[in-house]
Amino acid sequence: MTSQVGVDTMIKSQSKADIPLPKPRESDPETVAAEIIERLTYGIGKDAKVATPHDWLTATILVVRDRIIDKWMESTRASYDTNSKRVYYLSLEFLIGRLMRDAMSNLGLVEDIREALGSLGVDLDLIAGLEPDAALGNGGLGRLAACFMESMATVDIPAYGYGIRYVHGLFRQQMADGWQVELPETWLAHGNPWEFERRESSYEIGFGGTVDALVGVEEDMRHVWKPNERMIATAYDTPIVGWRGERVNTLRLWSAQPIDPILLDAFNAGDHIGALRESNKAETLTRVLYPADATPAGQELRLRQEYFFCSASLQDILRRHLQQGNELADLADKVAIQLNDTHPAISVVELLRLLCDVHGLDLDDAWEITSKTFSYTNHTLLPEALESWPVPLFERLLPRHMQLVYAVNAKMLIHARKQTDFTDEEIRHISLIDESGDRRVRMGNLAFMGSHSINGVSALHTDLMKQTVFADLHKLFPGRINNKTNGITPRRWLMQCNPGLTNLLRETIGDDFLDDAAKLQQLDGYAEDTGFQQKFAAVKRANKERLAQLVASRMGVRLDPDALFDIQIKRIHEYKRQLLNIIETVALYDQIRSHPERDWVPRVKLFAGKAAPSYHNAKLIIKLANDVARTINNDPSVRGLLKVVFVPNYNVSLAEVMVPAADLSEQISTAGMEASGTGNMKFALNGALTIGTLDGANVEMRDHVGEENIVIFGLTADEVAKIRAEGHNPRATIEASRELSQALSAIQSGVFSPDDRNRFKELIDGIYQHDWFMVAADFDSYAQAQRSVDQTWTDKASWYAKTIRNTARMGWFSSDRTIRQYAEEIWRA
Ligand SMILES: *Cc1c(COP(=O)(O)O)cnc(C)c1O
């Protein structure tokens, strides 16, 4: 028995099978306008005369949705009929952003809907801007999951995304006197017309309790887990439309509900709060996206979230597999499950539990099926960032899974000991239990052992994975580690966010690139064409004006669209080195003031990004950016030459405005620390020059765009590793650089924080003392690279030749290419 609560009652009787499908809808502006009015009236219950912009938005989404549903049902039917292999993408995060423009554009409806709304006196762009961002992720990892969902639909792979329907996505960031303040995101406040609640797909999820071992006939031992806490996972489905609307896949997000919404006995006895305890406990589970890099305080909740969504997803996957008439032994032929990082790694033992305890397989067979079904994507090399759970917590919450972890571990360690060339040290690294301090379960090792494929997300990252975190497991299972360099969907990150450039490309090289991003290569021949350069520049200029308007209206700061727009937007993290950029900004400010006679290139430095709420230094870096911005922007001696802006509340929708407006893209992480990056790809595709280190996918970007079309500086990953091992002397480095030492002492002594002169002292002391992130070590090289950018900027023909070549040569970084590689080499789907 599985613990499915609602039963899928698919009606297959003869009479119902003959019910005709609804007629596909026409999408000319007149029909669409009539349908919008109909939805407004009968769907929302509003008279057009009093409808709010939100009502218009909802009505429009419902009309778009109808056109998706036809295709959605067709896609679902087809994979059911052919019993084809399905791919399941398990991710704790999906950073989707808005869906309406994505769906309209992929269905080719944008212009018809614009016209339809226009005939009703409604502006499409205005209502589209009201759609809330579905911000169910922290950053790159969650955005990758969203790009992959769209690409899987585009390249026609029957796929499901599985995750959590957080009531509050990533927090909304506000600035209070330059400090980050976190506010809850309320993306569901106006309802969510994209989702369908599927009450019939609900499953029971247990926690805690005990495990009974039952010895049956022939000493066949069966284990029965008796959880002492139970709740329900209910599915919410969102359709994901592929390019040209050929396939529509499902994103299935789970929401936690209590088994008993209210304990009536307790309530009637007068305990009104206690009566709702169960209900609150369940609902808390899917209330907030737990921020990465946070304190241990919320750890248990996070482990509960992970198990909750994995258990629901696996029960659902097995239910679908069996309902199709398949055998469990054939699971790996019909099902491929991709684990996006270790967050869903508990799935490995959950599948084992379901196969052994519920379906009666023996452990060896179950293990074979499991490891053929799963594959795992690693996103970090930092040992401290690899998930692990204290054994006592794991055991208390998931007692049966703890047993299975031990069983798998015993199997693996026996296997390892049979290889004669394994040292005790290597065996300790392989173990699922970290015994070096308080005992912990290593989720990275579990994901590795339970998968037939383990992939890194850029060539460099994959190499480093083999040499560092998974060196010993790689030795035990050579051939399992492979690379799949990340990509981005060109629909959202070119066609939708940059219609000006898309139109220019269409009129220049035709429409081929719309279906195959590699065809952007045809643009290469126009790189030196003066006429084309002027048009390319005009598009960039219009995008910069659009961003300048946003900054003026949100922040009251005026930007000159003719200045060089230098942009760094991403989560705030020491390894991403926003601090290096800010210090260089301070150094530049000094230089401009000391040498007003020189021809300075006017620059606007733009930053955006959120810091994890518990990450002290990251929050201090935001405050520093704002303090530096205030000082510089108020100094008349650099007016017109330097501006600094920190735009609040970075999210997908803000990225869609900032990326197309960039002249220069900052990708300056400490080499060896950024697994891939995808922000880097978005900018280059939209015609920005990259300044960056040889880190993550920057390395492959250099190979594709050509080294003369990217500005590389700084230490390599090997050099960073060597310096860290041998130790370096940041103080000597700083003292050898006049620009750097002046900039650091200005910040340290409170020039930018006269109200609290010691505010940044510790932050800067860290650079003097250990410089872990190589800010001092890379400073001179970075500053020099920035001046070479200035040089290129003054020669506009050369600038545009380079940036045009970036757009032309970035097609390989389409997530369609990435997904095809996953499909061929990992999923075999
Ligand atoms: C692309 C994207 C990211 C990832 O950016 P990196 O520069 O690769 O870290 C993070 N957040 C949002 C909103 C994005 O669109």
Side-chain angles (χ1 to χ4, degrees):
M1 284 292 295
T2 70
S3 49
Q4 185 179 359
V5 176
V7 181
D8 242 49
T9 47
M10 198 182 290
I11 297 170
K12 283 188 226 142
S13 74
Q14 197 52 45
S15 61
K16 303 248 170 155
D18 293 338
I19 294 177
L21 298 176
K23 277 204 206 79
R25 288 158 190 265
E26 300 296 326
S27 294
D28 56 282
E30 252 167 65
T31 309
V32 169
E35 280 187 36
I36 291 175
I37 291 295
E38 179 153 334
R39 287 312 208 141
L40 194 66
T41 315
Y42 301 111
I44 305 173
K46 275 287 178 78
D47 184 335
K49 289 205 173 66
V50 297
T52 66
H54 262 110
D55 295 328
W56 286 108
L57 172 66
T58 306
T60 308
I61 290 175
L62 292 175
V63 169
V64 175
R65 201 182 74 174
D66 287 344
R67 281 150 182 80
I68 297 173
I69 289 178
D70 292 336
K71 286 287 181 187
W72 197 12
M73 294 187 171
E74 204 177 298
S75 305
T76 312
R77 255 172 237 253
S79 38
Y80 187 83
D81 291 345
T82 54
N83 190 13
S84 45
K85 187 166 188 175
R86 292 176 176 91
V87 171
Y88 296 98
Y89 198 81
L90 268 56
S91 180
L92 202 56
E93 303 186 15
F94 287 92
L95 190 48
I96 298 166
R98 293 177 177 141
L99 274 176
M100 185 168 79
R101 199 177 290 276
D102 205 46
M104 287 190 315
S105 160
N106 278 7
L107 292 168
L109 295 176
V110 178
E111 288 321 311
D112 289 331
I113 290 185
R114 186 185 299 284
E115 204 179 315
L117 283 168
S119 74
L120 301 168
V122 178
D123 178 24
L124 170 63
D125 296 324
L126 193 134
I127 62 165
L130 294 177
E131 188 182 359
D133 267 46
L136 312 183
N138 279 291
L141 175 152
R143 184 53 232 173
L144 184 76
C147 282
F148 278 8
M149 285 305 296
E150 199 264 2
S151 274
M152 288 190 288
T154 294
V155 309
D156 201 21
I157 293 172
Y160 291 76
Y162 278 118
I164 290 180
R165 180 182 178 272
Y166 304 101
V167 174
H168 303 292
L170 185 57
F171 64 87
R172 193 156 53 82
Q173 180 193 56
Q174 250 186 25
M175 293 299 152
D177 189 28
W179 293 100
Q180 167 175 296
V181 176
E182 302 97 30
L183 297 168
E185 182 68 83
T186 53
W187 70 296
L188 296 171
H190 291 269
N192 177 7
W194 290 111
E195 68 186 9
F196 292 87
E197 184 179 354
R198 306 291 194 200
R199 285 263 160 187
E200 72 282 11
S201 297
S202 341
Y203 299 90
E204 202 175 291
I205 312 295
F207 292 102
T210 54
V211 181
D212 291 348
L214 303 177
V215 181
V217 280
E218 293 166 31
E219 301 198 348
D220 172 27
M221 181 112 92
R222 286 287 288 269
H223 291 84
V224 181
W225 175 27
K226 296 190 173 148
N228 62 2
E229 200 186 320
R230 294 174 305 143
M231 55 185 74
I232 306 290
T234 297
Y236 284 75
D237 286 353
T238 299
I240 305 290
V241 191
W243 173 235
R244 298 203 190 276
E246 290 305 313
R247 170 175 276 284
V248 180
N249 283 331
T250 302
L251 174 61
R252 174 160 278 193
L253 301 178
W254 301 103
S255 178
Q257 257 124 55
I259 291 190
D260 296 316
I262 183 164
L263 304 176
L264 273 185
D265 287 350
F267 193 85
N268 292 337
D271 184 7
H272 300 161
I273 306 242
L276 291 172
R277 195 164 291 134
E278 289 273 294
S279 171
N280 289 336
K281 192 153 191 185
E283 279 157 17
T284 299
L285 201 127
T286 49
R287 189 168 287 276
V288 288
L289 165 69
Y290 192 64
D293 321 302
T295 55
Q299 282 229 331
E300 176 171 338
L301 179 61
R302 169 107 172 172
L303 178 55
R304 282 173 177 265
Q305 286 184 331
E306 293 181 355
Y307 176 66
F308 168 83
F309 104 92
C310 291
S311 176
S313 306
L314 284 164
Q315 292 185 58
D316 200 36
I317 291 167
L318 289 187
R319 190 266 308 154
R320 188 174 298 110
H321 180 73
L322 294 173
Q323 209 165 56
Q324 285 242 258
N326 296 311
E327 301 290 329
L328 285 174
D330 302 331
L331 191 70
D333 297 333
K334 294 292 174 193
V335 168
I337 306 177
Q338 188 72 36
L339 305 174
N340 193 24
D341 214 338
T342 55
H343 316 143
I346 189 73
S347 296
V348 169
V349 270
E350 174 66 358
L351 181 57
L352 273 185
R353 182 187 74 84
L354 292 169
L355 292 176
C356 296
D357 298 357
V358 178
H359 294 281
L361 270 63
D362 73 30
L363 185 68
D364 288 337
D365 292 343
W367 180 247
E368 164 122 13
I369 294 171
T370 298
S371 51
K372 278 203 235 149
T373 304
F374 283 109
S375 43
Y376 153 55
T377 305
N378 170 276
H379 288 269
T380 181
L381 300 168
L382 298 178
E384 66 274 19
L386 278 183
E387 264 186 320
S388 69
W389 299 108
V391 167
L393 170 66
F394 200 104
E395 199 155 34
R396 174 164 60 77
L397 228 47
L398 302 167
R400 177 59 180 140
H401 299 79
M402 192 70 240
Q403 292 179 342
L404 289 164
V405 165
Y406 287 132
V408 169
N409 203 34
K411 229 171 141 64
M412 290 296 124
L413 296 186
I414 289 168
H415 176 61
R417 285 195 202 282
K418 279 192 200 143
Q419 327 288 310
T420 47
D421 58 339
F422 272 77
T423 63
D424 286 350
E425 164 108 2
E426 285 169 330
I427 300 227
R428 271 201 301 281
H429 288 158
I430 287 165
S431 174
L432 289 179
I433 310 294
D434 179 356
E435 315 257 6
S436 61
D438 52 339
R439 301 172 74 233
R440 302 178 76 92
V441 184
R442 290 175 169 144
M443 302 309 274
N445 288 20
L446 180 61
F448 193 114
M449 289 177 190
S451 298
H452 65 281
S453 156
I454 293 89
N455 75 282
V457 290
S458 73
L460 173 66
H461 168 236
T462 301
D463 275 351
L464 293 173
M465 233 168 85
K466 291 181 187 171
Q467 293 166 31
T468 60
V469 272
F470 291 136
D472 307 294
L473 278 161
H474 175 55
K475 183 173 159 191
L476 189 60
F477 301 107
R480 277 199 194 178
I481 295 184
N482 63 90
N483 177 243
K484 299 288 168 279
T485 300
N486 282 170
I488 53 172
T489 166
R491 271 71 65 186
R492 185 176 294 259
W493 297 113
L494 176 60
M495 298 178 206
Q496 288 153 43
C497 74
N498 201 342
L501 180 57
T502 305
N503 289 335
L504 175 61
L505 294 173
R506 292 179 71 179
E507 91 200 18
T508 310
I509 57 171
D511 282 359
D512 291 356
F513 76 95
L514 298 177
D515 295 286
D516 176 4
K519 296 276 163 50
L520 284 167
Q521 191 76 46
Q522 296 164 352
L523 196 66
D524 227 76
Y526 294 85
E528 320 240 345
D529 178 325
T530 319
F532 181 77
Q533 285 190 351
Q534 280 168 2
K535 292 184 197 162
F536 193 82
V539 167
K540 184 62 79 182
R541 157 105 204 184
N543 290 334
K544 289 164 76 175
E545 279 169 15
R546 177 171 68 154
L547 175 58
Q549 262 172 26
L550 180 145
V551 168
S553 73
R554 279 197 203 168
M555 312 180 59
V557 178
R558 288 161 60 90
L559 306 180
D560 171 11
D562 289 320
L564 187 163
F565 277 23
D566 169 344
I567 305 191
Q568 185 171 23
I569 50 176
K570 47 185 76 240
R571 279 180 307 127
I572 309 296
H573 207 294
E574 286 163 287
Y575 86 79
K576 290 177 181 278
R577 296 202 293 192
Q578 283 90 357
L579 189 52
L580 175 60
N581 190 349
I582 298 169
I583 293 167
E584 200 278 327
T585 306
V586 169
L588 176 62
Y589 173 54
D590 274 348
Q591 289 288 305
I592 298 176
R593 285 192 304 169
S594 318
H595 303 284
E597 73 289 354
R598 291 194 194 151
D599 275 337
W600 294 101
V601 167
R603 269 204 200 222
V604 179
K605 288 261 188 187
L606 291 128
F607 296 87
K610 293 174 181 172
S614 62
Y615 190 170
H616 176 78
N617 276 358
K619 290 179 130 177
L620 211 48
I621 289 169
I622 294 177
K623 175 62 173 159
L624 177 60
N626 281 307
D627 280 354
V628 167
R630 190 194 45 217
T631 310
I632 292 180
N633 298 350
N634 286 325
D635 183 341
S637 69
V638 295
R639 184 150 301 155
L641 295 178
L642 186 59
K643 271 252 163 84
V644 182
V645 181
F646 188 98
V647 189
N649 201 34
Y650 180 49
N651 60 13
V652 172
S653 293
L654 183 59
E656 287 170 7
V657 181
M658 295 187 79
V659 165
D663 295 305
L664 186 65
S665 156
E666 299 269 356
Q667 307 300 334
I668 60 176
S669 52
T670 313
M673 298 194 77
E674 184 75 88
S676 162
T678 49
N680 47 2
M681 301 169 191
K682 298 168 195 167
F683 283 103
L685 180 63
N686 283 277
L689 195 64
T690 303
I691 183 167
T693 46
L694 282 178
D695 199 15
N698 291 355
V699 178
E700 289 148 274
M701 281 171 54
R702 179 195 59 174
D703 295 344
H704 279 84
V705 304
E707 62 183 351
E708 64 289 359
N709 301 311
I710 185 169
V711 181
I712 297 291
F713 72 93
L715 298 167
T716 63
D718 285 345
E719 289 164 348
V720 169
K722 188 155 177 282
I723 291 178
R724 279 185 181 163
E726 291 170 0
H728 84 130
N729 183 350
R731 191 169 296 274
T733 312
I734 295 166
E735 278 159 11
S737 166
R738 211 161 64 94
E739 266 190 69
L740 175 59
S741 46
Q742 281 180 0
L744 289 181
S745 53
I747 297 170
Q748 199 174 29
S749 65
V751 168
F752 302 95
S753 54
D755 52 326
D756 175 4
R757 295 200 165 265
N758 286 325
R759 181 175 294 143
F760 303 114
K761 188 173 175 308
E762 269 177 55
L763 194 63
I764 302 301
D765 281 349
I767 301 179
Y768 277 96
Q769 282 157 13
H770 49 77
D771 192 28
W772 181 252
F773 297 98
M774 304 288 148
V775 169
D778 273 345
F779 179 84
D780 278 355
S781 166
Y782 178 57
Q784 246 174 41
Q786 289 286 20
R787 300 294 72 81
S788 88
V789 169
D790 287 342
Q791 279 291 314
T792 311
W793 178 258
T794 53
D795 176 2
K796 284 293 168 1
S798 160
W799 181 272
Y800 287 111
K802 287 177 196 287
T803 52
I804 291 166
R805 288 198 168 102
N806 269 268
T807 298
R809 299 174 182 183
M810 282 299 292
W812 188 79
F813 294 90
S814 162
S815 46
D816 297 350
R817 183 271 311 155
T818 315
I819 284 299
R820 285 199 178 92
Q821 291 181 329
Y822 274 86
E824 281 163 26
E825 296 162 26
I826 300 178
W827 304 329
R828 308 199 185 278

